[in-house]
Amino acid sequence: IRLPGEIDHAYILLNGKQAVDALAACGRRGVKVASILAGGFADAGEAGATLQQELVRIVRETGIRLVGPNSIGTVSSDPPMALTANAAFAVDKLRTGSWGLVSQSGSLIGALLSRADARGIGFSRLISVGNEVDLAVGEIADLLVDDPKTKAILLFMETLRDGERLARAARRAHAAGKPGIAYKLGRSEIGQELAKSHTGAIAGSDATFDAFCRRHGIARVSMFESLIDVPALLIDRPAAKGKRVAVATTTGGGEAGSGAGSGAAAAAGATPFAGYVSDPCDGRTNGTAGMLDSLPYRNDAATIFRRLARSLPTRRGVLGVATCDKGLPAMMMALAGLRDLPTVLVPGGVTLPPEN
């Protein structure tokens, strides 16, 4: 490599044995970090796994740090830097933000980026770790804890390879007031097989990963788009403890679907439920210890939602709200003044996609 001075990062766009040789050349040259775009290593059977072991050997012998293989690259919005060949980043200017994303899937970074951009949300850093020969989710998440441009750490997981390092990162993130939010593929047997064929990941027990997240304070979400729904509920807010979740619905059926509140509770670390009100326009209450009996809320949904939010011990928790579609405008107006309270608004009639 005939370039003057030190080289901080090399992005290798070669395949197979050529990529291995290029990494070895970078290691001899003293390049600090390299990324490999190509797949065809542990994700491609026994022959690919043998090639990947060559990458492991080079990393150990030369000390170069490796992102990938099977990585679409590393992107920063501030300062702007895009080491990637992915078409999702072919824009004049990348929207800046304060959320860092570490993903074991490369293509889904682009999907999340486009969904977030449509909502006016940007990211601080986006890192695709691929097969994680060297640098893995845990170590990069740990680096993001110390990044002043990052306020929340989002994880797209297919498997858990460096649990000890990720646990350390989660503890440090909690101490720094930076929420960690994770979405994991491979809940079903089919999903686990797809994860293995994608990056060579062995997904492992979903229950084990769930327990890991609970133990180390990582908010696990069950839907892909929740990775961009949940951070705003958790950033710059103290951890919630105890029964600090209130659920209000404008329909009796909303009680049965109070997963809005329980999901928000899990994300905030709180325990459902402090209380709930069902069908306030019909004048029925449940589970609120008689506190609402004296409220003049019949046919006045706005009054009951505001009073519930301000009276129940939810000041450090989450208010989960489900409503029928026709009541959505009134509900939004009722909640408009609750800026200091994390609020989840779930319109009725929404069909959720099946889980992988």
Side-chain angles (χ1 to χ4, degrees):
I1 302 176
R2 298 178 181 178
L3 290 174
E6 293 187 355
I7 300 173
D8 293 320
H9 199 138
Y11 193 31
I12 298 172
L13 304 178
L14 301 171
N15 296 321
K17 185 63 166 58
Q18 290 180 312
V20 174
D21 293 342
L23 181 67
C26 288
R28 291 192 298 269
R29 173 61 171 76
V31 176
K32 296 177 181 177
V33 182
S35 296
I36 296 178
L37 171 66
F41 292 87
D43 52 295
E46 186 175 343
T50 300
L51 275 179
Q52 184 158 306
Q53 285 303 310
E54 283 294 297
L55 298 178
V56 173
R57 179 186 61 79
I58 293 167
V59 166
R60 289 175 178 171
E61 290 180 357
T62 66
I64 190 173
R65 304 307 308 269
L66 176 62
V67 182
N70 207 6
S71 163
I72 69 162
T74 300
V75 175
S76 167
S77 64
D78 183 20
M81 186 277 297
L83 280 173
T84 179
N86 190 276
F89 297 95
V91 295
D92 293 333
K93 185 178 181 180
L94 191 64
R95 190 186 297 273
T96 60
S98 59
W99 303 353
L101 172 64
V102 188
S103 177
Q104 290 174 335
S105 168
S107 60
L108 286 178
I109 286 184
L112 196 66
L113 181 70
S114 63
R115 285 165 171 76
D117 187 69
R119 301 189 192 184
I121 298 170
F123 293 89
S124 57
R125 326 286 179 212
L126 301 106
I127 303 98
S128 165
V129 295
N131 294 11
E132 297 178 304
V133 162
D134 177 29
L135 287 165
V137 167
E139 187 169 355
I140 294 177
D142 203 26
L143 293 172
L144 290 177
V145 174
D146 298 319
D147 178 16
K149 300 292 179 65
T150 297
K151 291 186 177 180
I153 301 170
L154 282 55
L155 309 174
F156 187 99
M157 308 285 292
E158 295 179 354
T159 188
L160 183 60
R161 291 189 178 99
D162 60 340
E164 185 175 342
R165 190 65 182 263
L166 183 57
R168 176 179 183 272
R171 292 192 298 269
R172 294 185 63 239
H174 186 271
K178 295 186 178 185
I181 303 109
Y183 174 78
K184 182 180 176 295
L185 290 178
R187 284 177 173 264
S188 67
E189 291 184 7
I190 294 176
Q192 291 178 20
E193 287 300 314
L194 288 172
K196 185 175 181 180
S197 66
H198 184 207
T199 60
I202 300 175
S205 166
D206 188 71
T208 299
F209 183 77
D210 199 54
F212 178 90
C213 290
R214 290 178 181 274
R215 179 176 179 82
H216 299 293
I218 298 172
R220 183 181 182 182
V221 296
S222 59
M223 293 179 61
F224 176 60
E225 289 204 359
S226 295
L227 279 175
I228 53 177
D229 292 333
V230 171
L233 297 172
L234 305 182
I235 293 174
D236 295 328
R237 299 190 185 278
K241 297 179 180 179
K243 294 184 177 181
R244 297 184 178 275
V245 177
V247 178
T249 81
T250 57
T251 168
E255 302 173 27
S258 60
S262 61
T271 303
F273 289 102
Y276 61 89
V277 178
S278 171
D279 226 345
C281 295
D282 289 343
R284 300 200 302 268
T285 66
N286 299 278
T288 56
M291 181 180 60
L292 300 170
D293 290 347
S294 62
L295 294 179
Y297 68 84
R298 187 180 300 272
N299 298 320
D300 186 359
T303 298
I304 185 61
F305 295 134
R306 287 198 181 99
R307 185 67 72 88
L308 178 63
R310 290 169 179 160
S311 300
L312 290 172
T314 57
R315 306 316 304 163
R316 295 172 63 187
V318 177
L319 171 66
V321 180
T323 176
C324 54
D325 289 338
K326 65 182 180 180
L328 184 59
M331 182 77 78
M332 294 177 69
M333 291 294 294
L335 298 173
L338 305 176
R339 295 182 178 273
D340 61 336
L341 182 69
T343 305
V344 178
L345 178 59
V346 182
V350 176
T351 301
L352 301 182
E355 288 295 330
N356 289 322

